[in-house]
Amino acid sequence: MNTATLNTNRLWAYLQLTRPANIITAWADVLAGIAASGFSVVDNPLSIAWLILATTGLYGGGVVFNDVFDADLDAKERPERPIPSGRSSLRGAIVLGSLLLSIGVFAAAQVSWLSFCIACGVAAAALLYDAYGKHHTFFGPLNMGICRGGNLLLGVSILSPMLRENWYLALIPITYIAAITAISQGEVHGGKRSTGIVALVLMGVVIAGLLGLGWLNQSYFLAVLPFVILLSWRVVRPFVQAVSQPSAENIRTAVRSGVLSLIVLDATLSCSFAGFGYGLLLLSLLPISMMLAKLFAVT
């Protein structure tokens, strides 16, 4: 194998560490937050670009450090992953993760001091999850949910005063991600039915919350309904399957569908504030994420 091929394979391995398909879902979080803030794209499109860069760095850095902290465990359970397979080095992954998190915080600082503070909080929460949270049955799902909720609020922070009014919106992705993280605890060896039931109940709470949010903004309620139906179809079915037969394969399918459907969740939330057209705009990210999911691991 020549040097050029080796370098290409190494670059591909580092790209795998960032989970590009998942990063697209993080873009949807920020764009949903921007919609909830009432910010107009024409006001300052550069701020939107900075926040997209910020969430790219924060999410990318967070998932890279996930593999850094799991290097020894992956060597036993998932030896094909970039670090245990030797296609990327542990030191290189640490450098990449640190660089991405730094870019995320720096980009957020270009929008506002509040955005900078939220970005720092998201970065800290991601590292806490990677190092400790994911090993804790209760705190792990909550910790990961806080990362996603903070990502949504990062979008809302584009108009700082709106954060005081719309902080509660973070509860939706927190609950949603808590459900996914809870059920994902069995994606290697299989899970417990009781954990799956808890995850399914949490998902029901999310769907009810989205319907309630649409009802509060009644002018957009009919626009919200198709998105709620789509979200329910994409996540409830695999979750029910994972509960009835909690095998590792069924759980991975449920987690994969849940992660990619974050875009549908964000599109649904956006409809409550910006209407059907904006929801479709966010939904257009789903096929991009699904295409990338065929090339890169999601879980």
Side-chain angles (χ1 to χ4, degrees), residues 11 13-18 57 60-61 64-65 90-103:
L11 287 173
Y14 283 114
L15 187 59
Q16 285 179 306
L17 286 173
T18 66
V64 168
F65 271 109
L90 183 62
R91 178 177 296 181
I94 292 173
V95 171
L96 175 61
S98 300
L99 178 62
L100 286 170
L101 289 177
S102 298
I103 289 173

mmCIF file of all heavy atoms in Angstrom, residues 11 13-18 57 60-61 64-65 90-103:
data_model
loop_
_atom_site.group_PDB
_atom_site.id
_atom_site.type_symbol
_atom_site.label_atom_id
_atom_site.label_comp_id
_atom_site.label_asym_id
_atom_site.label_seq_id
_atom_site.Cartn_x
_atom_site.Cartn_y
_atom_site.Cartn_z
ATOM 1 N N LEU A 11 -6.958 9.730 6.903
ATOM 2 C CA LEU A 11 -7.878 10.862 6.917
ATOM 3 C C LEU A 11 -9.324 10.379 7.025
ATOM 4 O O LEU A 11 -10.141 10.971 7.738
ATOM 5 C CB LEU A 11 -7.690 11.704 5.646
ATOM 6 C CG LEU A 11 -6.424 12.560 5.579
ATOM 7 C CD1 LEU A 11 -6.283 13.200 4.203
ATOM 8 C CD2 LEU A 11 -6.462 13.646 6.656
ATOM 9 N N ALA A 13 -10.314 7.664 8.431
ATOM 10 C CA ALA A 13 -10.520 7.173 9.795
ATOM 11 C C ALA A 13 -10.826 8.321 10.752
ATOM 12 O O ALA A 13 -11.724 8.217 11.596
ATOM 13 C CB ALA A 13 -9.281 6.414 10.266
ATOM 14 N N TYR A 14 -10.105 9.434 10.616
ATOM 15 C CA TYR A 14 -10.363 10.584 11.487
ATOM 16 C C TYR A 14 -11.729 11.204 11.184
ATOM 17 O O TYR A 14 -12.417 11.684 12.078
ATOM 18 C CB TYR A 14 -9.252 11.634 11.339
ATOM 19 C CG TYR A 14 -7.987 11.248 12.067
ATOM 20 C CD1 TYR A 14 -6.821 10.971 11.372
ATOM 21 C CD2 TYR A 14 -7.961 11.162 13.451
ATOM 22 C CE1 TYR A 14 -5.658 10.606 12.041
ATOM 23 C CE2 TYR A 14 -6.819 10.805 14.132
ATOM 24 C CZ TYR A 14 -5.661 10.518 13.416
ATOM 25 O OH TYR A 14 -4.520 10.153 14.092
ATOM 26 N N LEU A 15 -12.114 11.168 9.915
ATOM 27 C CA LEU A 15 -13.436 11.662 9.550
ATOM 28 C C LEU A 15 -14.517 10.774 10.161
ATOM 29 O O LEU A 15 -15.554 11.266 10.625
ATOM 30 C CB LEU A 15 -13.581 11.707 8.024
ATOM 31 C CG LEU A 15 -14.846 12.360 7.461
ATOM 32 C CD1 LEU A 15 -14.961 13.815 7.927
ATOM 33 C CD2 LEU A 15 -14.847 12.308 5.933
ATOM 34 N N GLN A 16 -14.273 9.457 10.190
ATOM 35 C CA GLN A 16 -15.220 8.534 10.807
ATOM 36 C C GLN A 16 -15.441 8.868 12.275
ATOM 37 O O GLN A 16 -16.550 8.723 12.797
ATOM 38 C CB GLN A 16 -14.708 7.093 10.680
ATOM 39 C CG GLN A 16 -14.849 6.503 9.290
ATOM 40 C CD GLN A 16 -14.309 5.086 9.248
ATOM 41 O OE1 GLN A 16 -13.176 4.827 9.625
ATOM 42 N NE2 GLN A 16 -15.131 4.158 8.786
ATOM 43 N N LEU A 17 -14.386 9.304 12.950
ATOM 44 C CA LEU A 17 -14.487 9.624 14.369
ATOM 45 C C LEU A 17 -15.489 10.746 14.635
ATOM 46 O O LEU A 17 -16.088 10.813 15.709
ATOM 47 C CB LEU A 17 -13.118 10.034 14.919
ATOM 48 C CG LEU A 17 -12.089 8.927 15.120
ATOM 49 C CD1 LEU A 17 -10.742 9.530 15.514
ATOM 50 C CD2 LEU A 17 -12.546 7.937 16.181
ATOM 51 N N THR A 18 -15.672 11.643 13.679
ATOM 52 C CA THR A 18 -16.553 12.805 13.887
ATOM 53 C C THR A 18 -18.023 12.489 13.630
ATOM 54 O O THR A 18 -18.880 13.329 13.908
ATOM 55 C CB THR A 18 -16.150 13.969 12.970
ATOM 56 O OG1 THR A 18 -16.379 13.614 11.599
ATOM 57 C CG2 THR A 18 -14.670 14.338 13.157
ATOM 58 N N GLY A 57 -18.282 22.023 15.462
ATOM 59 C CA GLY A 57 -17.118 21.786 16.304
ATOM 60 C C GLY A 57 -17.470 21.115 17.618
ATOM 61 O O GLY A 57 -16.801 20.170 18.047
ATOM 62 N N GLY A 60 -18.810 17.474 16.824
ATOM 63 C CA GLY A 60 -17.703 16.670 16.305
ATOM 64 C C GLY A 60 -16.673 16.371 17.374
ATOM 65 O O GLY A 60 -16.214 15.230 17.528
ATOM 66 N N GLY A 61 -16.298 17.387 18.140
ATOM 67 C CA GLY A 61 -15.321 17.188 19.202
ATOM 68 C C GLY A 61 -15.841 16.252 20.273
ATOM 69 O O GLY A 61 -15.104 15.405 20.801
ATOM 70 N N VAL A 64 -15.715 12.611 19.017
ATOM 71 C CA VAL A 64 -14.331 12.145 18.916
ATOM 72 C C VAL A 64 -13.827 11.734 20.303
ATOM 73 O O VAL A 64 -13.223 10.662 20.474
ATOM 74 C CB VAL A 64 -13.417 13.236 18.315
ATOM 75 C CG1 VAL A 64 -11.945 12.845 18.484
ATOM 76 C CG2 VAL A 64 -13.725 13.427 16.836
ATOM 77 N N PHE A 65 -14.090 12.560 21.307
ATOM 78 C CA PHE A 65 -13.660 12.219 22.659
ATOM 79 C C PHE A 65 -14.427 11.017 23.208
ATOM 80 O O PHE A 65 -13.928 10.318 24.097
ATOM 81 C CB PHE A 65 -13.807 13.423 23.595
ATOM 82 C CG PHE A 65 -12.585 14.286 23.630
ATOM 83 C CD1 PHE A 65 -12.581 15.547 23.038
ATOM 84 C CD2 PHE A 65 -11.422 13.842 24.234
ATOM 85 C CE1 PHE A 65 -11.443 16.338 23.055
ATOM 86 C CE2 PHE A 65 -10.277 14.626 24.261
ATOM 87 C CZ PHE A 65 -10.285 15.873 23.672
ATOM 88 N N LEU A 90 -4.468 7.346 19.083
ATOM 89 C CA LEU A 90 -5.146 7.936 20.231
ATOM 90 C C LEU A 90 -4.743 9.396 20.381
ATOM 91 O O LEU A 90 -5.592 10.259 20.625
ATOM 92 C CB LEU A 90 -4.811 7.152 21.502
ATOM 93 C CG LEU A 90 -5.500 7.612 22.784
ATOM 94 C CD1 LEU A 90 -7.013 7.483 22.666
ATOM 95 C CD2 LEU A 90 -4.991 6.803 23.979
ATOM 96 N N ARG A 91 -3.463 9.677 20.234
ATOM 97 C CA ARG A 91 -2.983 11.062 20.352
ATOM 98 C C ARG A 91 -3.608 11.934 19.267
ATOM 99 O O ARG A 91 -4.034 13.065 19.525
ATOM 100 C CB ARG A 91 -1.474 11.105 20.267
ATOM 101 C CG ARG A 91 -0.894 12.513 20.323
ATOM 102 C CD ARG A 91 0.627 12.508 20.310
ATOM 103 N NE ARG A 91 1.161 11.862 21.500
ATOM 104 C CZ ARG A 91 2.462 11.740 21.745
ATOM 105 N NH1 ARG A 91 3.358 12.188 20.870
ATOM 106 N NH2 ARG A 91 2.878 11.153 22.857
ATOM 107 N N GLY A 92 -3.657 11.425 18.044
ATOM 108 C CA GLY A 92 -4.251 12.195 16.951
ATOM 109 C C GLY A 92 -5.717 12.490 17.201
ATOM 110 O O GLY A 92 -6.209 13.581 16.900
ATOM 111 N N ALA A 93 -6.442 11.520 17.781
ATOM 112 C CA ALA A 93 -7.855 11.722 18.089
ATOM 113 C C ALA A 93 -8.031 12.783 19.167
ATOM 114 O O ALA A 93 -8.954 13.600 19.102
ATOM 115 C CB ALA A 93 -8.487 10.402 18.538
ATOM 116 N N ILE A 94 -7.151 12.782 20.162
ATOM 117 C CA ILE A 94 -7.220 13.792 21.217
ATOM 118 C C ILE A 94 -6.989 15.181 20.643
ATOM 119 O O ILE A 94 -7.691 16.148 20.982
ATOM 120 C CB ILE A 94 -6.189 13.489 22.331
ATOM 121 C CG1 ILE A 94 -6.586 12.206 23.073
ATOM 122 C CG2 ILE A 94 -6.086 14.657 23.308
ATOM 123 C CD1 ILE A 94 -5.547 11.732 24.071
ATOM 124 N N VAL A 95 -6.011 15.299 19.755
ATOM 125 C CA VAL A 95 -5.727 16.590 19.111
ATOM 126 C C VAL A 95 -6.923 17.039 18.280
ATOM 127 O O VAL A 95 -7.343 18.204 18.333
ATOM 128 C CB VAL A 95 -4.463 16.492 18.234
ATOM 129 C CG1 VAL A 95 -4.293 17.758 17.387
ATOM 130 C CG2 VAL A 95 -3.225 16.276 19.096
ATOM 131 N N LEU A 96 -7.500 16.122 17.504
ATOM 132 C CA LEU A 96 -8.648 16.452 16.664
ATOM 133 C C LEU A 96 -9.841 16.886 17.513
ATOM 134 O O LEU A 96 -10.484 17.902 17.225
ATOM 135 C CB LEU A 96 -9.037 15.245 15.811
ATOM 136 C CG LEU A 96 -10.305 15.394 14.955
ATOM 137 C CD1 LEU A 96 -10.150 16.534 13.952
ATOM 138 C CD2 LEU A 96 -10.631 14.083 14.239
ATOM 139 N N GLY A 97 -10.134 16.128 18.567
ATOM 140 C CA GLY A 97 -11.255 16.464 19.431
ATOM 141 C C GLY A 97 -11.079 17.816 20.103
ATOM 142 O O GLY A 97 -12.017 18.613 20.177
ATOM 143 N N SER A 98 -9.864 18.082 20.564
ATOM 144 C CA SER A 98 -9.580 19.368 21.223
ATOM 145 C C SER A 98 -9.711 20.522 20.248
ATOM 146 O O SER A 98 -10.256 21.582 20.592
ATOM 147 C CB SER A 98 -8.162 19.347 21.811
ATOM 148 O OG SER A 98 -8.010 18.308 22.759
ATOM 149 N N LEU A 99 -9.224 20.318 19.025
ATOM 150 C CA LEU A 99 -9.308 21.356 18.003
ATOM 151 C C LEU A 99 -10.761 21.661 17.659
ATOM 152 O O LEU A 99 -11.161 22.833 17.565
ATOM 153 C CB LEU A 99 -8.542 20.914 16.750
ATOM 154 C CG LEU A 99 -8.565 21.879 15.551
ATOM 155 C CD1 LEU A 99 -7.909 23.212 15.924
ATOM 156 C CD2 LEU A 99 -7.857 21.259 14.354
ATOM 157 N N LEU A 100 -11.566 20.617 17.499
ATOM 158 C CA LEU A 100 -12.971 20.809 17.142
ATOM 159 C C LEU A 100 -13.738 21.530 18.249
ATOM 160 O O LEU A 100 -14.531 22.442 17.981
ATOM 161 C CB LEU A 100 -13.624 19.460 16.845
ATOM 162 C CG LEU A 100 -13.240 18.810 15.516
ATOM 163 C CD1 LEU A 100 -13.759 17.384 15.443
ATOM 164 C CD2 LEU A 100 -13.754 19.622 14.340
ATOM 165 N N LEU A 101 -13.521 21.149 19.496
ATOM 166 C CA LEU A 101 -14.195 21.824 20.611
ATOM 167 C C LEU A 101 -13.775 23.287 20.699
ATOM 168 O O LEU A 101 -14.607 24.170 20.960
ATOM 169 C CB LEU A 101 -13.890 21.111 21.933
ATOM 170 C CG LEU A 101 -14.540 19.742 22.139
ATOM 171 C CD1 LEU A 101 -14.084 19.133 23.461
ATOM 172 C CD2 LEU A 101 -16.063 19.829 22.104
ATOM 173 N N SER A 102 -12.500 23.554 20.452
ATOM 174 C CA SER A 102 -12.009 24.933 20.485
ATOM 175 C C SER A 102 -12.637 25.771 19.379
ATOM 176 O O SER A 102 -13.024 26.923 19.596
ATOM 177 C CB SER A 102 -10.475 24.944 20.342
ATOM 178 O OG SER A 102 -9.859 24.258 21.410
ATOM 179 N N ILE A 103 -12.756 25.166 18.190
ATOM 180 C CA ILE A 103 -13.402 25.857 17.070
ATOM 181 C C ILE A 103 -14.860 26.161 17.422
ATOM 182 O O ILE A 103 -15.372 27.249 17.140
ATOM 183 C CB ILE A 103 -13.325 25.006 15.789
ATOM 184 C CG1 ILE A 103 -11.885 24.982 15.276
ATOM 185 C CG2 ILE A 103 -14.267 25.546 14.712
ATOM 186 C CD1 ILE A 103 -11.673 24.020 14.110
#
